[in-house]
Amino acid sequence: MVDRSPGKAASGEQSIKILSVIVGADSTATCLNAAVLAAQSVGDCTIEALNVVVDPGLLVAASEEVDMQRLREHWEGTASERSAACHTAFVAWTAGAAQDAPPVAWRTIVGDEQVVVTQEANNADLLVVIAHERNMDGGDALHAALFDSQKPVLIVPVSWKPQPGQSFSRVAAGLSDSDAARRAIEAATPWLEGATDVTAIRIGDAGDPALMLEALLDDAGIAHQLHVVPRSHENLGQQLLTEAHLAGADMLVTGAYRHNQLIEWFAGGTTRHLLAKADIPLLMVR
């Protein structure tokens, strides 16, 4: 039986913690599988599976928010029922986890999803992993991690399943002329260094200033291929995903929400399209 309590490094120092935010029973295994691959890519990590119990009876929030949470109970069950279902899924995943999987600990906190996720994300050492489950908890957790924390976020499509023996060994990085793209590449350095194949993708012109971000890879000593392609699709997010697939990528690194989230919602935007269409994990930083 694998010890799933937080561990220590061989040197006696505390292992690096990755936070895996559990937002629904259906996506629990998906989220944990991605967290394990992320941990194995950098080594010497532990994983904390965090489930926030949003109990409307204990919320200190606007009355509209409390009412919305109570309305959920009709369709999704009570907060305690949803949490119990997540924990059951966690126990089932644990029973089938590989013996060499990193230590994983379960933690439940009662509170507001965004407040708790923001706090715990900032306490994580390296990364926050969230499955893109389209429920209220999932939306609140993702918003908090991307907009309110200082950590990179690995966003995992609910339908994603790792193949036997898969790792994040083939990584694509989107180059764009934004601070978010720069921060994403810097934050992804541990996975880029551990990858066997890295492709830097720029959709645009050969003389685009965004190509200067390639220097971040050079400075870090990360061997990579540069792939520059002209814009050929109205949906930039879809074209970036297509190019990542052509590169055989297991993960796509990209900046998130260059514009305000509300603007992207009304006008459309790369991040919105990526989140809607991605079938591989996205490592994002805003």
Side-chain angles (χ1 to χ4, degrees):
M1 183 68 179
V2 180
D3 179 9
R4 309 256 173 228
S5 59
K8 296 282 185 177
S11 63
E13 297 180 356
Q14 181 68 39
S15 297
I16 297 169
K17 185 178 80 173
I18 289 176
L19 182 68
S20 180
V21 182
I22 306 301
V23 295
D26 291 342
S27 63
T28 295
T30 297
C31 188
L32 293 170
N33 286 333
V36 166
L37 292 194
Q40 290 175 333
S41 296
V42 298
D44 193 26
C45 291
T46 61
I47 299 168
E48 180 175 277
L50 171 68
N51 179 233
V52 182
V53 182
V54 186
D55 188 338
L58 300 175
L59 278 180
V60 180
S63 58
E64 294 83 357
E65 168 68 12
V66 175
D67 290 342
M68 184 65 70
Q69 292 292 343
R70 292 193 185 281
L71 185 61
R72 294 180 66 191
E73 296 181 355
H74 177 71
W75 303 105
E76 302 176 30
T78 65
S80 60
E81 289 170 342
R82 297 195 302 270
S83 181
C86 289
H87 187 260
T88 297
F90 168 78
V91 172
W93 176 88
T94 300
Q99 290 296 308
D100 61 350
V104 183
W106 176 266
R107 188 179 181 202
T108 299
I109 298 179
V110 178
D112 179 274
E113 187 82 35
Q114 293 196 56
V115 172
V116 173
V117 169
T118 299
Q119 177 179 325
E120 297 303 317
N122 284 325
N123 288 335
D125 297 312
L126 189 63
L127 180 71
V128 179
V129 184
I130 301 176
H132 190 211
E133 186 161 340
R134 289 170 172 81
N135 57 29
M136 186 177 293
D137 290 341
D140 289 346
L142 185 58
H143 185 278
L146 276 177
F147 283 84
D148 300 328
S149 83
Q150 305 301 313
K151 294 296 189 299
V153 185
L154 185 63
I155 305 167
V156 191
V158 174
S159 61
W160 174 84
K161 291 182 179 180
Q163 299 300 313
Q166 181 179 342
S167 64
F168 289 140
S169 59
R170 300 173 66 88
V171 181
L175 305 183
S176 67
D177 54 346
S178 69
D179 290 338
R182 175 181 296 275
R183 289 192 292 271
I185 292 174
E186 291 173 341
T189 296
W191 294 276
L192 294 169
E193 290 178 336
T196 57
D197 187 289
V198 175
T199 303
I201 301 171
R202 173 56 187 170
I203 298 175
D205 300 325
D208 199 308
L211 295 177
M212 291 187 293
L213 287 184
E214 187 186 11
L216 293 177
L217 302 174
D218 292 330
D219 292 344
I222 298 170
H224 63 279
Q225 300 175 352
L226 176 62
H227 189 42
V228 182
V229 295
R231 177 81 176 261
S232 63
H233 198 293
E234 181 180 355
N235 185 326
L236 184 59
Q238 183 61 63
Q239 187 176 355
L240 183 55
L241 279 172
T242 298
E243 296 300 331
H245 278 298
L246 290 174
D250 304 303
M251 173 200 293
L252 174 60
V253 176
T254 179
Y257 290 113
R258 178 179 179 181
H259 302 292
N260 179 278
Q261 186 181 22
L262 188 60
I263 293 176
E264 286 222 0
W265 177 257
F266 284 109
T270 303
T271 303
R272 181 184 172 193
H273 291 312
L274 282 171
L275 291 174
K277 299 297 184 181
D279 54 0
I280 59 174
L282 307 171
L283 196 156
M284 288 186 156
V285 176
R286 183 174 183 269

